[in-house]
Amino acid sequence: MLLFGKVQVGDTVPTLEVPVTARTVVMGASSSRDWQPQHHDHAWATTRAGTKDIFLNTPNQAGWIERYLTDWTGPYGRLGRMRFRMRRPVYPGETLVFNGTVRETAVDESGCAWVDVDIELTVGEDVATEASARLAIPQDEKDNPWRRSGDDWRP
Amino acid sequence: MSSALEEEIGARTAALVPKWTGVSLDAGPGDVECERGYILHWAEATENANLLYWDEGVAQDVTGGWIAPPSMLSVWMRPLMFNPNAREQVRPLEMHFRLKDAFELPEGIVTGNEIVFGVPVRPGDMIATKQTVTEIGDVRTNRLGTGRPWTIDVTYTNQRGEVVAVESYRMFCYVRSAS
């Protein structure tokens, strides 16, 4: 369990490397029930959308970012807010590398402990996606952000 | 300096911007309810070993039972690709496609996304969406083509009326550049 007292501004989230294959892209599209052709149809992607190949879809990237963060926090980490911007598509054959840095830590008026993390998803030298996330993590062993609701949950 | 295509699209769509900004679509509940099979497929696709999705004891202790990964949100709004009971053909993120049709910008990509999460989604939940056009930007050209950016906010609620999330999609819809 990652506790709030163990996190400081400037801490880094352990790097994650994901080799992206056609299966990664198609399974990502399937699991998000996204059948837009640019995520499974190579011919359509290249001739109609004008991209190099099929590419990771948006919800799947959100899923990878969540997985990256909760690998770090463990199950008590609860996503409050997530923002990301795609700079360029991510294609089969590329390796997607996740790096994150803690930008801010805070405890709100309800006592909820928040960690803000900036994340970059890179392919080689390119930043493919920029993201930021706000996660609630426990202040101590008795705290559980998942029990929060209503006015006690203000992401 | 604007290109001829920028000027043409700008002139053709200028009156549509105020007409469509602020328009909402109550898309109602999605076609599928949250269930474990979808959750496991999601965890499989993202190689997510979080015990909340694999160990019922941990899920019970931490979240009071199984939940779906918060990032799965859009799964619950997408219509089935085939549904004999569907009254009309509804596309995923229908408001976006209505805008594309109205502006005659045939291609589109998601350029950014922000989600604020509320109560967790649990197996058995049915999630309804309300989609609102919050912003339509000026005509621009990038490496993909010439078109307009726009932002659509989607509010997700469960069958109890609780907000499970609000998601903002930033899109760029365009006519491909001649190459």
Side-chain angles (χ1 to χ4, degrees), chain A residues 30 33 47-48 66 82 84, chain B residues 41 71 78 113 115 176:
Chain A
S30 166
R33 306 185 53 248
T47 60
R48 175 73 188 271
E66 178 183 351
M82 181 162 58
F84 54 103
Chain B
H41 191 24
S71 57
R78 293 183 193 280
N113 185 282
I115 313 170
R176 283 185 66 182

Side-chain angles (χ1 to χ4, degrees), chain B residues 39-133:
Chain B
I39 293 169
L40 290 176
H41 191 24
W42 183 271
E44 172 191 29
T46 51
E47 301 173 16
N48 188 340
N50 190 332
L51 292 176
L52 288 182
Y53 315 121
W54 298 99
D55 185 319
E56 190 166 17
V58 172
Q60 194 63 48
D61 288 345
V62 178
T63 53
W66 295 120
I67 63 167
S71 57
M72 278 189 81
L73 262 187
S74 65
V75 171
W76 317 123
M77 79 165 176
R78 293 183 193 280
L80 292 164
M81 296 299 290
F82 169 75
N83 182 353
N85 298 318
R87 285 174 294 180
E88 59 179 318
Q89 184 63 38
V90 178
R91 296 161 291 191
L93 201 53
E94 174 70 24
M95 181 58 81
H96 165 63
F97 289 95
R98 291 188 184 182
L99 278 178
K100 282 178 69 178
D101 292 345
F103 281 72
E104 298 179 52
L105 297 172
E107 316 302 339
I109 60 165
V110 179
T111 58
N113 185 282
E114 179 169 13
I115 313 170
V116 180
F117 298 100
V119 302
V121 176
R122 298 179 183 276
D125 282 354
M126 290 291 292
I127 305 301
T129 60
K130 182 178 181 182
Q131 306 168 10
T132 303
V133 181

